[in-house]
Amino acid sequence: MANPYRALFELPGARSFVPASFVGRMAMSMLGIGIVLMVTGTHGGYALAGAVAATTQVAYAIASPMIARLIDRHGQRRVLVPLVSANAVAMTGLILCAELGAAAWTLFATGVLVGMTSPSMGALVRARWSHLLAPENRPPLGTAFAMESVLDELVFITGPPLATALATGVVPAGGLVAAGLFTLVGGLAFAVQTRTQPPASPGRRGGRTALAYPGVPGMALVFLSLGLVFGAVEVSAIAFADEQGSKGLSGLVLACFAAGSGVAGLWYGARTWVWPLARRFRLGLGLFALGLVPVTLVESLPVMMAVIFFAGLAISPTIIPAYGVLERLVPEGRLTEGLTWASTAVGLGVAGGASAAGAIIDSHGSGPAFAFALAAGIAGALMGLAVVARLKTVSRFDNDGKRELSS
């Protein structure tokens, strides 16, 4: 590991909470594909499977900001322990409804419960880094965010193939069983490490939501566009592999997408950047949209794996500065909620992208579904340009001493 990353693990507690957060995050890469594989295996049809996955993501997106406010107010441990315990119960209910062939509405009902109780581990661990690294020591925070993005991608490299192998080689619900266990074990291990968690802010009961701070709504729309791409690509990749007669390799296709992002994230975090944060953010969005163009033109599975790897190279260099911008837009007492809005927006986007792609695939195949992902990527790039142009007019983010966004 390069020196910038090694230095992060020298901080007290980092060697414990980082692995725990990694285990807790495994479910985020396995939930969507696990639901699609389970429902198509037990009930048939991508439209139903995509709709159930989308419903779960919408429930997660709606509940996450409210849970994040509770975490900011009461602390991570007090909220996370009952949350992941409830998630285990809800996941068990969803799996039983599918495996027993219950009516479709039961899948939606239990999917809602799963989504509402799914923790935003990425936001929680990034909030810990922001707490541990002093405001005057921000370059290491960028490295920490880069490392977390790489770990996110490692989750997406390992999670989908694991979920696919379990669902196609063991039982249709195998991927979701593993996802539920990862959430429970990782979430509890992360929650009990109270020494490194950000302090609770009980005095901030009620008041201004993080979404009300200048620039945050625009950033949420950018993350929404990214989520549309991720959701559409996830379902489209499964259908593309199925069309090629190799559905069992769909997880590997998604792993290639994540691997590209992970490689780029390691490179990004190890560099000392001279370019301003906003410029890196804009460039990343543009490259991300451009990289999706070849994905819409491929008709071979091996070529798709190579092309989608290169498309993924722009993910981390987009998301890392995006989180950096968002972290600077909200005060410390609203940090978990502010970062969670990114996860919320991505969740809504994944829901919309998965649902739209599922409907497109049932009618026209995977090719037009990938084209939908490209359109969402272009929309995100245009939105990012508009957001940065708007932030140029904001001289200060807030009166909490946050720095200006250099553009």
Side-chain angles (χ1 to χ4, degrees):
M1 183 173 290
N3 286 335
Y5 298 108
R6 185 183 300 119
L8 293 175
F9 284 92
E10 294 175 356
L11 293 171
R15 296 185 182 182
S16 298
F17 77 74
V18 171
S21 72
F22 178 80
V23 173
R25 269 179 287 182
M26 283 294 292
M28 74 180 186
S29 69
M30 302 174 69
L31 186 58
I33 190 172
I35 289 175
V36 170
L37 290 170
M38 180 181 71
V39 176
T40 55
T42 60
H43 288 68
Y46 281 102
L48 175 61
V52 174
T55 300
T56 305
Q57 288 290 347
V58 169
Y60 165 79
I62 293 173
S64 288
M66 294 182 284
I67 292 171
R69 296 195 80 175
L70 290 175
I71 290 173
D72 280 332
R73 187 183 305 159
H74 300 293
Q76 293 182 350
R77 182 188 62 81
R78 288 186 61 186
V79 177
L80 197 54
V81 170
L83 184 69
V84 297
S85 301
N87 181 262
V89 175
M91 191 76 80
T92 301
L94 174 60
I95 292 169
L96 287 176
C97 288
E99 290 293 329
L100 295 176
W105 70 265
T106 64
L107 303 179
F108 289 100
T110 51
V112 166
L113 296 177
V114 169
M116 291 180 65
T117 56
S118 294
S120 182
M121 294 300 298
L124 295 177
V125 71
R126 286 174 172 87
R128 288 206 182 196
W129 284 121
S130 294
H131 167 63
L132 292 175
L133 296 171
E136 64 273 9
N137 197 24
R138 286 293 147 168
L141 182 61
T143 302
F145 281 1
M147 183 186 70
E148 291 303 329
S149 291
V150 172
L151 292 177
D152 284 343
E153 300 311 330
L154 185 57
V155 162
F156 279 94
I157 291 171
T158 57
L162 176 60
T164 303
L166 292 172
T168 58
V170 185
V171 292
L176 285 188
V177 172
L181 290 174
F182 281 133
T183 298
L184 181 63
V185 174
L188 291 177
F190 185 82
V192 298
Q193 300 180 54
T194 57
R195 182 177 60 165
T196 53
Q197 72 177 9
S201 302
R204 288 185 174 271
R205 188 180 302 274
R208 189 180 186 186
T209 175
L211 197 61
Y213 286 86
V216 177
M219 289 299 298
L221 290 176
V222 173
F223 277 103
L224 176 69
S225 299
L226 295 175
L228 285 170
V229 175
F230 299 150
V233 168
E234 183 174 87
V235 178
S236 300
I238 297 172
F240 181 84
D242 196 6
E243 292 168 358
Q244 300 294 314
S246 302
K247 186 177 181 180
L249 295 178
S250 57
L252 185 57
V253 176
L254 295 173
C256 290
F257 195 41
S261 178
V263 169
L266 283 173
W267 168 80
Y268 183 101
R271 287 178 56 90
T272 300
W273 287 95
V274 178
W275 286 2
L277 187 63
R279 184 182 301 172
R280 284 176 268 149
F281 173 55
R282 290 196 306 260
L283 181 60
L285 281 171
L287 292 175
F288 181 54
L290 185 63
L292 291 170
V293 174
V295 175
T296 65
L297 307 175
V298 174
E299 297 182 356
S300 163
L301 189 59
V303 176
M304 174 62 79
M305 291 181 182
V307 165
I308 208 166
F309 171 85
F310 285 102
L313 288 173
I315 297 176
S316 284
T318 301
I319 290 179
I320 295 167
Y323 271 114
V325 170
L326 196 56
E327 187 270 340
R328 297 184 180 201
L329 289 172
V330 294
E332 185 175 355
R334 289 281 186 255
L335 183 56
T336 304
E337 183 190 352
L339 294 175
T340 299
W341 274 112
S343 300
T344 295
V346 170
L348 285 172
V350 168
S355 182
I360 293 171
I361 289 165
D362 280 348
S363 300
H364 305 289
S366 64
F370 277 124
F372 172 82
L374 171 60
I378 294 173
L382 295 175
M383 181 61 64
L385 293 175
V387 168
V388 171
R390 171 68 181 87
L391 289 177
K392 287 181 180 179
T393 66
V394 181
S395 59
R396 290 177 64 84
F397 292 137
D398 195 70
N399 58 4
D400 291 60
K402 296 284 183 175
R403 288 146 310 286
E404 294 182 14
L405 176 69
S406 175
S407 58

